[in-house]
């Protein structure tokens, strides 16, 4: 019988763990976290139309920095891995695989998105309506599978095999439970973002302060989300290292 994720326990442990281990978290990720924060702030003040190269470079740097942060936190939660030293910013095989899996999860939405926007370039008829409807259905399917397959991210972080079939088997019947634990992070994050976002209409100094606060809040909630993924992985898939050894195959 497939295990059932305890929603309340998972949310409580994630928030409590992120707060209680805040010092260790900062020690592990302060350098990539600071760089990520700086890039987040810089991106707000970059005009995409006039500074496209700068915008692309900032997005690419952020894209590669996040796996460094996420993998370190996943490994700390699931393995207790806390390397010594003053800073950690290595981008290696684990981080690369984390990035690849993240891109794969994002691609789950591409078919639905393409079909959803296609009717804008088609004559307004029944065919266009059907294509649009099919696009919406595929987006919902993408959300369904993404919610379950996100547990691949902790797997690659700790060196467990990338086994979508196993993850889908172990998460059967847990879709809405996973949605609830993710919502416990997304909803308060959106509320804070809306409140702080109102300050972005002020002076340059006010905008700078608002962006800094917003970036810190978003990073904190993102780390809580990582904790939720790690806990869900432990409860549904099993303790890290209990799967077959990872031989590097996908």
């Amino acid at each position: 019988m497939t295990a059932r994720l305890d929603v309340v326990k998972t949310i409580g442990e994630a928030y409590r763990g992120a707060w209680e281990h805040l010092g260790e978290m900062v020690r592990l990720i302060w350098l990539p976290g600071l760089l990520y924060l700086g890039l987040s702030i810089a991106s707000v003040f970059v005009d995409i139309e006039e500074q496209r190269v700068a915008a692309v470079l900032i997005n690419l740097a952020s894209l590669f920095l996040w796996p460094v942060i996420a993998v370190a936190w996943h490994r700390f939660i699931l393995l207790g891995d806390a390397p010594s030293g003053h800073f950690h910013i290595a981008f290696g095989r684990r981080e690369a695989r984390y990035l690849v899996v993240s891109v794969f999860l994002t691609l789950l939405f591409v078919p639905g998105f393409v079909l959803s926007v296609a009717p804008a370039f088609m004559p307004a008829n029944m065919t266009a309506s059907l294509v649009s409807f099919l696009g919406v259905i595929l987006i919902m399917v993408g959300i369904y599978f993404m919610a379950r397959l996100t547990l691949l991210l902790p797997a690659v972080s700790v060196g467990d095999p990338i086994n979508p079939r196993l993850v889908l088997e172990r998460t059967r019947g847990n879709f809405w439970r996973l949605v609830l634990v993710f919502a416990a992070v997304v909803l308060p994050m959106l509320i804070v973002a809306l409140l702080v976002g109102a300050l972005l209409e002020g002076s340059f100094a006010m905008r700078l302060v608002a962006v800094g606060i917003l970036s810190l809040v978003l990073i904190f909630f993102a780390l809580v989300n990582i904790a939720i993924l790690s806990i869900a992985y432990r409860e549904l898939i099993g303790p890290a290292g209990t799967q077959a050894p990872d031989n590097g195959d996908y």
Side-chain angles (χ1 to χ4, degrees), residues 6 19 22 32 43 51 58 72-73 99 121 130-131 136 142 191-192 232 236 241:
D6 188 323
W19 181 254
L22 185 61
S43 66
Q51 300 169 291
I58 288 174
W73 194 229
L99 181 57
F121 305 94
L130 289 174
V131 170
V136 173
I191 292 173
V192 173
L236 297 178

Side-chain angles (χ1 to χ4, degrees), residues 30-81:
W30 73 267
L31 181 55
L34 191 61
L35 292 173
Y36 191 86
L37 176 63
L39 290 171
S40 298
I41 294 174
S43 66
V44 177
F45 298 96
V46 171
D47 189 323
I48 298 178
E49 294 297 326
E50 297 181 2
Q51 300 169 291
R52 293 183 180 179
V53 174
V56 170
L57 290 176
I58 288 174
N59 287 327
L60 282 176
S62 300
L63 186 67
F64 282 90
L65 275 173
W66 182 249
V68 176
I69 297 171
V71 169
W73 194 229
H74 277 305
R75 292 182 65 80
F76 175 75
I77 296 171
L78 292 171
L79 298 174
D81 185 18

Side-chain angles (χ1 to χ4, degrees), residues 114-136:
V114 171
L115 289 180
S116 295
V117 301
F121 305 94
M122 299 171 59
N125 51 32
M126 182 62 70
T127 300
S129 298
L130 289 174
V131 170
S132 178
F133 177 73
L134 180 59
V136 173

